[in-house]
Amino acid sequence: MSIKQNFTKEDFEKLKTYGKVSFKEIEEKEDSDFLNKTKKVFQQLSKKLKEIGIQISNETNLVIPQNGRVGWQNSGTFYNFIWVPFNLGNIESNIIIYIAIDHTGAEVNIGKWDSKLKNKKIERNKVEKILNQFHNRYNSIEHTSEDILNNKVNFVEDAKKLIPIYEEIINHEKGINKQNKEINNQTSDKTNINQILYGPPGTGKTYNSIEEAVKIASPKKFKDEISKIVDHEKKREAIKDEFDDLKKKARVVFITFHQSYGYEEFIEGIKPVYKSEDLKYEIKDGVFKKLCLKALGINEDDNQEKRQKKLDSIFKKSRTERKKHFESEEKYVIIVDEINRGNISKIFGELITLIEKDKRLGEDEELTTTLPYSTEEFGVPPNVYIIGTMNSADRSIALMDTALRRRFRFIEKMPETDYTKFEISDPTITKDGVEIDVSQLLKRMNDRIEFLYDRDHTIGHSYFLNLLKKDRKDQYAELCNIFQNEIIPLLQEYFYDDWEKIQIVLGDAEEQFGLTDFKSKKDKLDKYRFVRTIYPEEKKTLEEEILGFNYERIDNDKKLFEPNLLNIHPLAFRKIYEDENVYKEIKSKINNNTNDEQKHK
């Protein structure tokens, strides 16, 4: 079937006339008339291309993705072009078949979805690696504008030529994802009895560890009651109530590791005890051993004889009998917050081996040990679960014991920018008519942090949760407070007080404003910046004002930086994620103010 051609010679002339200048250049020249005409032309031509895309979807198994904008794209110093992307059926992928048309003609090809992969370095690298494996197996299909006008082009047939290799690429991508998923599942099956939730600060690691503990210790109640609660706040309240109840029953224990935490607190040790004004030393069980004994059916108030009888009854059973016994027993959980802050070898001691799933009591490779103080035979029951939390931005993470890494399943908790998951339908706040999208603001800051540093030092979503959840009289004041007391100090720690990088993250760098005369307008611009710059010439003036004399030992050639949250303008927040439009609006306000001042003079 021949595809309907709807492009005319006039269309290609328009592409040439209106496509040779980027939108950014037009905006900088402040030629709003030409900009509006350009946008209108590309909107009209995009509709024509979409008609072709629909015909291709009707005749093949390709579909235009729901989030795939058919429209104009700007390639920087090159001409603008219009394009339409395709995925295979309902399979979402960052690898696409696309048609791109500019004033010279058309290209039908397989490639990466650049706009979706923007600021996603890791995903982009994965896509490029897959495409490189296949790049010798297919060629781009190109047509001149004359071929299109003379009806010598059939875009359906072009797409059909690429579909077989495209299907192979997608299946290869799915295979990698499936393989990774299977590996994760295998890891989960093997080690989910010991797990560590890790990620940047503010990503809900402790929050999620409590929910995970309730799922493990009260699976029936969680499934039948708690999981069915729709309201997020009520569900969390129910989880916390159940968690507190489990703590009272000594089925869940919550502790925090620190530098002075040791074997004596965790397993067992000799502790001083006052009895009838006499000081004696007794062997005392630590929190983990107490929990294990509880899981073995031994209560804390059992005397030594009763305790030994229970232990003997368990260890006299065969391994198979022990395994069957524990399958019907209640589950117990210990949550170790900040697990990487403790000296793991010192705290776990010989039990670092016994906590492995296959070394637990009743398992195939069951192991027991004789404890050094009590000389009791001891093994870790399989119904005791360990959940740790770890801040990936903590510099002590690099020193974490390799033995711990091998015995735990690591579950990454990254910042979540979709606040609807927390039942927040509108993640925006408004000040003086300026709407600030907190979700987009957080995403943009994290994209920049990941580029300048790494993904382990991003900012968690929980910093803004309370701000968005509650009805506050002045949300804007609260947002300023969060930036001043939490976000900026966190960035200082991340970048070791490298203020220029902090400025880039916050959209405060001079280069981001795009002004050639930045210094002359600095005072007016400061209210749009979270971190202001003090230049050498200002520093010299301040030196005499503050010190009263010219102190030669001070280096006055360096710039100084200082936080600037007093009377900050709401556009300062918007500019973080809406770069070009907001910077243009700020420049316009500055210029208008300057003109007004000159008139008054």
Side-chain angles (χ1 to χ4, degrees):
M1 179 180 172
S2 173
I3 195 162
K4 179 185 174 184
Q5 301 296 347
N6 50 8
F7 282 91
T8 66
K9 188 175 180 179
E10 186 184 359
D11 291 334
F12 285 102
E13 288 296 328
K14 287 178 179 178
L15 279 168
K16 187 173 183 180
T17 302
Y18 294 97
K20 62 186 176 183
V21 185
S22 71
F23 294 139
K24 186 176 180 181
E25 287 178 285
I26 301 170
E27 287 174 344
E28 285 175 352
K29 291 176 182 177
E30 297 184 355
D31 190 344
S32 58
D33 185 52
F34 188 76
L35 179 64
N36 292 332
K37 284 181 181 177
T38 303
K39 288 182 177 179
K40 190 174 181 180
V41 165
F42 277 98
Q43 285 169 353
Q44 290 170 347
L45 297 179
S46 296
K47 286 181 181 178
K48 288 191 174 186
L49 184 56
K50 188 172 183 179
E51 290 174 13
I52 294 174
I54 292 169
Q55 290 182 62
I56 291 172
S57 294
N58 290 338
E59 296 187 39
T60 67
N61 58 347
L62 297 177
V63 298
I64 302 171
Q66 287 185 351
N67 59 345
R69 190 187 73 169
V70 181
W72 65 82
Q73 300 291 319
N74 182 254
S75 50
T77 56
F78 304 101
Y79 274 79
N80 293 304
F81 58 92
I82 51 174
W83 85 316
V84 56
F86 299 95
N87 275 155
L88 193 65
N90 293 320
I91 300 170
E92 287 190 14
S93 173
N94 291 320
I95 301 172
I96 53 171
I97 285 181
Y98 66 86
I99 300 174
I101 297 178
D102 67 6
H103 71 290
T104 63
E107 178 189 31
V108 187
N109 203 354
I110 299 170
K112 59 183 182 290
W113 197 334
D114 283 317
S115 58
K116 277 186 72 178
L117 292 169
K118 188 179 181 182
N119 301 316
K120 295 181 180 179
K121 188 176 179 182
I122 295 171
E123 289 181 40
R124 177 184 285 272
N125 289 341
K126 287 179 184 176
V127 168
E128 287 176 349
K129 190 175 180 180
I130 293 169
L131 288 173
N132 285 338
Q133 290 179 255
F134 290 86
H135 79 280
N136 290 326
R137 305 260 315 271
Y138 67 92
N139 293 311
S140 167
I141 301 170
E142 297 178 358
H143 303 290
T144 65
S145 57
E146 287 78 11
D147 288 339
I148 297 171
L149 293 172
N150 293 327
N151 210 29
K152 293 180 180 179
V153 177
N154 190 321
F155 286 114
V156 170
E157 293 304 317
D158 291 341
K160 285 180 178 178
K161 287 176 186 176
L162 292 176
I163 285 173
I165 187 69
Y166 180 59
E167 286 178 335
E168 199 174 330
I169 292 170
I170 296 301
N171 287 331
H172 179 74
E173 183 190 31
K174 282 170 62 183
I176 292 172
N177 293 337
K178 184 179 179 183
Q179 186 181 20
N180 289 338
K181 191 174 181 181
E182 286 172 355
I183 290 169
N184 288 336
N185 288 339
Q186 288 168 9
T187 307
S188 175
D189 292 341
K190 185 178 178 182
T191 61
N192 63 359
I193 201 164
N194 304 321
Q195 56 184 294
I196 289 176
L197 311 180
Y198 74 99
T203 52
K205 297 177 291 296
T206 305
Y207 180 98
N208 281 283
S209 69
I210 291 171
E211 182 174 342
E212 192 65 27
V214 172
K215 284 181 184 177
I216 293 166
S218 296
K220 191 174 187 307
K221 184 170 184 178
F222 188 89
K223 183 181 178 181
D224 296 345
E225 297 178 30
I226 298 173
S227 65
K228 293 177 181 178
I229 300 173
V230 177
D231 185 89
H232 186 271
E233 292 298 322
K234 288 180 180 177
K235 183 178 180 180
R236 183 61 188 174
E237 190 178 328
I239 290 170
K240 192 65 173 65
D241 288 345
E242 182 62 17
F243 178 78
D244 292 339
D245 189 50
L246 289 166
K247 278 182 70 180
K248 287 177 186 175
K249 294 175 181 175
R251 288 186 54 208
V252 171
V253 176
F254 187 99
I255 60 171
T256 302
F257 277 180
H258 49 79
Q259 286 83 350
S260 60
Y261 204 89
Y263 185 90
E264 290 75 13
E265 290 82 20
F266 197 62
I267 310 299
E268 65 173 19
I270 298 172
K271 299 288 180 73
V273 178
Y274 281 98
K275 285 188 177 179
S276 302
E277 298 184 355
D278 290 331
L279 177 64
K280 293 184 178 181
Y281 290 89
E282 294 182 358
I283 297 167
K284 292 287 185 181
D285 297 330
V287 289
F288 183 66
K289 184 183 175 185
K290 283 180 185 176
L291 189 69
C292 289
L293 292 173
K294 180 82 173 171
L296 291 167
I298 297 168
N299 297 316
E300 197 173 345
D301 55 356
D302 286 348
N303 60 36
Q304 190 60 37
E305 184 182 354
K306 192 175 182 181
R307 174 169 164 161
Q308 195 58 50
K309 278 183 181 180
K310 288 182 178 179
L311 283 171
D312 290 343
S313 68
I314 291 168
F315 287 112
K316 281 178 183 177
K317 293 178 180 179
S318 68
R319 183 183 61 78
T320 307
E321 288 174 326
R322 275 198 292 275
K323 188 178 179 91
K324 192 174 181 180
H325 166 78
F326 286 117
E327 283 174 356
S328 59
E329 291 296 299
E330 290 181 326
K331 294 183 174 69
Y332 294 78
V333 183
I334 182 167
I335 298 174
V336 184
D337 204 27
E338 305 285 358
I339 195 168
N340 56 309
R341 285 188 171 273
N343 184 329
I344 301 303
S345 300
K346 175 186 171 186
I347 295 170
F348 278 86
E350 64 277 3
L351 264 66
I352 195 68
T353 300
L354 272 61
I355 64 171
E356 289 184 50
K357 182 176 172 59
D358 60 352
K359 306 295 191 301
R360 303 279 186 115
L361 296 176
E363 299 297 335
D364 294 341
E365 301 295 326
E366 172 189 278
L367 283 178
T368 60
T369 189
T370 301
L371 296 176
Y373 294 107
S374 63
T375 68
E376 290 178 341
E377 185 179 11
F378 185 78
V380 179
N383 57 334
V384 172
Y385 289 70
I386 304 172
I387 302 173
T389 70
M390 190 166 69
N391 183 352
S392 61
D394 192 331
R395 290 161 195 164
S396 64
I397 188 173
L399 306 174
M400 204 180 75
D401 201 305
T402 306
L404 183 74
R405 289 182 178 274
R406 189 172 66 79
R407 288 170 170 86
F408 279 77
R409 178 193 177 203
F410 282 73
I411 302 168
E412 189 177 53
K413 295 292 178 184
M414 293 303 289
E416 178 59 71
T417 55
D418 183 6
Y419 280 96
T420 58
K421 293 182 179 179
F422 308 101
E423 292 197 352
I424 296 170
S425 57
D426 182 14
T428 62
I429 66 173
T430 304
K431 173 69 173 177
D432 297 336
V434 177
E435 190 176 81
I436 301 165
D437 189 326
V438 175
S439 176
Q440 291 298 316
L441 180 146
L442 178 63
K443 183 182 183 303
R444 189 63 166 155
M445 285 196 296
N446 283 336
D447 286 342
R448 287 170 176 165
I449 292 169
E450 187 174 342
F451 184 84
L452 294 169
Y453 198 166
D454 60 35
R455 68 200 303 270
D456 289 332
H457 289 78
T458 45
I459 299 168
H461 50 269
S462 66
Y463 283 97
F464 303 101
L465 270 178
N466 287 336
L467 168 73
L468 296 172
K469 276 182 180 180
K470 298 177 182 178
D471 292 328
R472 295 181 181 270
K473 290 181 179 178
D474 193 349
Q475 284 187 314
Y476 183 73
E478 179 65 17
L479 181 63
C480 292
N481 182 54
I482 290 167
F483 265 72
Q484 182 169 2
N485 298 318
E486 299 182 66
I487 302 302
I488 291 178
L490 186 65
L491 292 174
Q492 282 180 261
E493 184 182 342
Y494 282 177
F495 292 107
Y496 301 90
D497 287 330
D498 185 340
W499 285 100
E500 288 187 336
K501 285 183 180 175
I502 295 170
Q503 282 186 325
I504 293 170
V505 171
L506 299 171
D508 286 343
E510 293 176 31
E511 295 82 357
Q512 289 168 308
F513 279 87
L515 286 168
T516 53
D517 54 346
F518 186 89
K519 283 187 183 180
S520 65
K521 296 177 179 177
K522 189 186 80 67
D523 291 340
K524 295 184 178 67
L525 287 166
D526 278 348
K527 67 178 179 180
Y528 301 101
R529 304 172 81 200
F530 298 97
V531 178
R532 66 186 290 264
T533 310
I534 300 174
Y535 295 96
E537 50 269 30
E538 292 179 271
K539 193 176 171 185
K540 288 176 184 176
T541 305
L542 286 171
E543 179 185 345
E544 294 191 5
E545 286 180 7
I546 295 170
L547 303 181
F549 68 100
N550 184 9
Y551 189 29
E552 293 182 358
R553 291 174 63 184
I554 288 181
D555 185 359
N556 280 322
D557 293 329
K558 287 185 178 179
K559 290 189 285 188
L560 293 179
F561 302 90
E562 66 177 13
N564 179 44
L565 270 294
L566 188 65
N567 298 322
I568 195 81
H569 196 283
L571 283 175
F573 293 96
R574 267 240 331 244
K575 80 177 190 312
I576 292 176
Y577 62 92
E578 260 190 40
D579 306 27
E580 292 184 15
N581 293 335
V582 178
Y583 284 124
K584 183 181 176 183
E585 187 175 344
I586 290 171
K587 284 188 277 188
S588 176
K589 286 179 179 291
I590 296 296
N591 290 332
N592 289 339
N593 288 341
T594 304
N595 292 335
D596 289 342
E597 287 172 8
Q598 289 174 349
K599 285 178 184 178
H600 287 301
K601 286 180 181 179

